Amino acid sequence: LVLPALWTVLAIALIVVVYSALPVDPPWNHILVFAMFVGWLVFAAWPFAQWWFTLYVLTTERLITRSGILARKGLEIPLENINDVKFSQTIIERLLRSGDLLIESAGEQGQSRFSDIPEPEEFQSLLYRVREERSLELQRGPVGTEAPVPETTDPTERLLRLADLRERGVITDEEYEEKRRKLLDEI
C-alpha cells in the first residue's frame, strides 16, 4: 500500500498546484484535475481495492485464497499436498513487515505465489505447524480409535514414550509429571 499512498499524496499535491500556483484558464485546469483523478484511480485506488478484496485463509485442512473485485477467483491447496514453502522479502518489504510466499504443491497447481503477505516468515512457520499437527491427527485417527499401545515392562522405554506423548500434546505437563513420578516409584 506504500505506492498507492504515494500516488494519493502526489495527486493531492498536483491538484493544489493546478488550482493555486498555475495560471491556467478554467477549462484546462478541470481537464488536468480530471486526468490526475483518472491516474489516481489507476495507480492508487485500484491497487488498494485489489488488496482490500484479497483474502488468505489457513484452516486445519487447507490453504485458501480468494481475490477479485468484480470477478472473483480462488485457490485451495490441501495441506497434505504442500511440499515446500519459501518466503522472500526485499529490504523495503522487511521494513514494512510483508513479503512473498512461494508454495510448491503436488498436483495441478505446482507452484503458487502469494504476494504482499503480512509477516511471511511467521505465516510460513504457522503453515508448517498446522500441517504437522494435521498429519499427526491423521496418523492417530479419529478420537477413540487409537490402536492400543502394547505395554512394556522396561521403565526407560515407558518414560521415553511418556515424554513423547507430552511433546505431541497428547498429555499435559501436569499429567506427565504425575505419571513420571509413578514410574520412578516403581523402579
Side-chain angles (χ1 to χ4, degrees):
L1 296 177
V2 170
L3 288 177
L6 290 175
W7 279 108
T8 301
V9 170
L10 179 66
I12 292 170
L14 288 175
I15 289 172
V16 168
V17 167
V18 165
Y19 277 113
S20 64
L22 288 180
V24 181
D25 293 332
W28 286 105
N29 61 2
H30 297 314
I31 293 170
L32 286 173
V33 168
F34 179 74
M36 284 182 265
F37 178 73
V38 169
W40 176 80
L41 284 175
V42 170
F43 295 111
W46 185 255
F48 175 78
Q50 286 178 319
W51 170 80
W52 185 264
F53 287 102
T54 300
L55 298 172
Y56 300 103
V57 179
L58 179 61
T59 70
T60 56
E61 297 187 12
R62 63 184 42 94
L63 174 64
I64 304 167
T65 181
R66 299 282 188 261
S67 62
I69 299 168
L70 300 174
R72 301 280 290 166
K73 64 181 180 178
L75 173 68
E76 294 188 17
I77 305 172
L79 294 181
E80 298 87 40
N81 291 357
I82 294 176
N83 298 327
D84 192 24
V85 181
K86 297 175 185 171
F87 78 93
S88 63
Q89 290 178 299
T90 63
I91 294 171
I92 293 173
E93 285 176 329
R94 211 173 143 139
L95 290 172
L96 298 172
R97 298 170 63 173
S98 71
D100 301 334
L101 285 176
L102 180 65
I103 297 177
E104 294 181 15
S105 62
E108 293 178 14
Q109 288 111 359
Q111 290 186 341
S112 301
R113 179 171 296 281
F114 298 92
S115 300
D116 303 325
I117 302 288
E119 305 286 349
E121 191 171 359
E122 289 178 19
F123 190 83
Q124 178 192 36
S125 298
L126 177 65
L127 183 59
Y128 277 127
R129 190 169 48 250
V130 170
R131 184 172 176 252
E132 190 172 311
E133 288 172 5
R134 168 98 172 128
S135 66
L136 285 173
E137 200 174 284
L138 290 174
Q139 287 174 359
R140 283 188 221 127
V143 176
T145 62
E146 290 94 8
V149 179
E151 193 62 39
T152 179
T153 56
D154 181 25
T156 307
E157 192 174 318
R158 290 171 67 189
L159 281 170
L160 288 173
R161 235 184 34 226
L162 188 63
D164 180 55
L165 288 173
R166 180 182 67 173
E167 275 185 40
R168 292 189 321 187
V170 176
I171 61 173
T172 65
D173 289 337
E174 293 80 20
E175 291 172 318
Y176 168 78
E177 287 300 325
E178 179 184 328
K179 292 182 185 294
R180 186 180 69 83
R181 267 189 246 111
K182 285 182 183 177
L183 282 172
L184 290 175
D185 288 343
E186 289 178 18
I187 298 177

